[in-house]
Amino acid sequence: MVFLAAVGVQEGLALLFSGGDLAGWTPPVWLEVVGALGMPLALIGGPLLAWRVHGRHLQWRDLVAAVVGALLGSAVFGVVMLVLVPLTRLVQGPAMDEQGPWLAGAVAALAVVAFLAKPVAAAVRDLTGAKEHARRHGLRLAIVAVGLVAIIASVFVGGETAELGAFLLLPAVPAVGAVGAMDWWRDNHPSTTAE
């Protein structure tokens, strides 16, 4: 969602400064920098924000674990896509030649749904039952809803905008690595982290 917000700010400013005519307008460098900052903010800022929303104290070691986890997550994502994209060429179809590796996108989308299934189910279960962490779970469901609406809307807009879902995966997978590394560090070094 951090990346989606950065893209929204960049696109909104582009529309504002171009007068709504993006076709013949060249964006200034500072506006390109706004978009470029979205990725590192999402990679590290998103997990750190989630860490704090869950009531965990942030220490330097958590930040180091987040950076290492994000780098490992990026590497794993890159390797998986390097393997998956050539495999999608084995599936023949008229859209494959013109539209690119949609099968790789579909596999990635299914992986995201599988990854989000457990936390979304836990959020719904908590909000309909005990309401132990209502604010946290409500925020989680709102973020998932906003992301889904943005992705569905981007498909209807078409063009390059339809690739928004794929671009949201770029920071999401490494962010999972960051959170996984932070959790691993906390579980395996309990004396060095304070709650």
Side-chain angles (χ1 to χ4, degrees):
M1 293 315 302
V2 172
F3 184 65
L4 183 60
V7 168
V9 167
Q10 182 186 29
E11 292 298 315
L13 289 172
L15 284 172
L16 179 69
F17 289 115
S18 70
D21 181 26
L22 293 174
W25 183 71
T26 303
V29 173
W30 66 267
L31 188 56
E32 296 295 329
V33 171
V34 169
L37 288 176
M39 190 66 70
L41 283 174
L43 282 175
I44 300 300
L48 296 181
L49 182 60
W51 192 258
R52 291 298 300 144
V53 166
H54 281 81
R56 296 179 179 166
H57 298 287
L58 184 62
Q59 296 182 342
W60 281 106
R61 292 178 184 198
D62 299 321
L63 180 60
V64 170
V67 170
V68 170
L71 291 172
L72 289 173
S74 297
V76 168
F77 182 68
V79 169
V80 168
M81 291 313 272
L82 282 173
V83 170
L84 193 57
V85 170
L87 288 178
T88 61
R89 301 208 188 278
L90 298 175
V91 178
Q92 296 298 317
M96 289 302 190
D97 294 332
E98 298 173 10
Q99 300 296 324
W102 281 105
L103 185 59
V107 169
L110 289 174
V112 169
V113 169
F115 179 76
L116 291 176
K118 184 178 177 182
V120 167
V124 169
R125 194 171 38 250
D126 186 63
L127 289 174
T128 58
K131 296 189 189 321
E132 251 182 77
H133 304 286
R135 188 174 298 155
R136 181 187 316 156
H137 290 305
L139 180 62
R140 178 181 291 161
L141 291 177
I143 288 172
V144 169
V146 168
L148 285 174
V149 167
I151 291 169
I152 291 168
S154 73
V155 170
F156 283 107
V157 169
E160 290 181 10
T161 307
E163 298 170 355
L164 178 65
F167 283 110
L168 289 178
L169 280 175
L170 294 175
V173 175
V176 168
V179 171
M182 291 168 75
D183 275 340
W184 177 85
W185 183 266
R186 181 174 167 257
D187 291 343
N188 290 295
H189 300 86
S191 62
T192 62
T193 57
E195 285 298 318

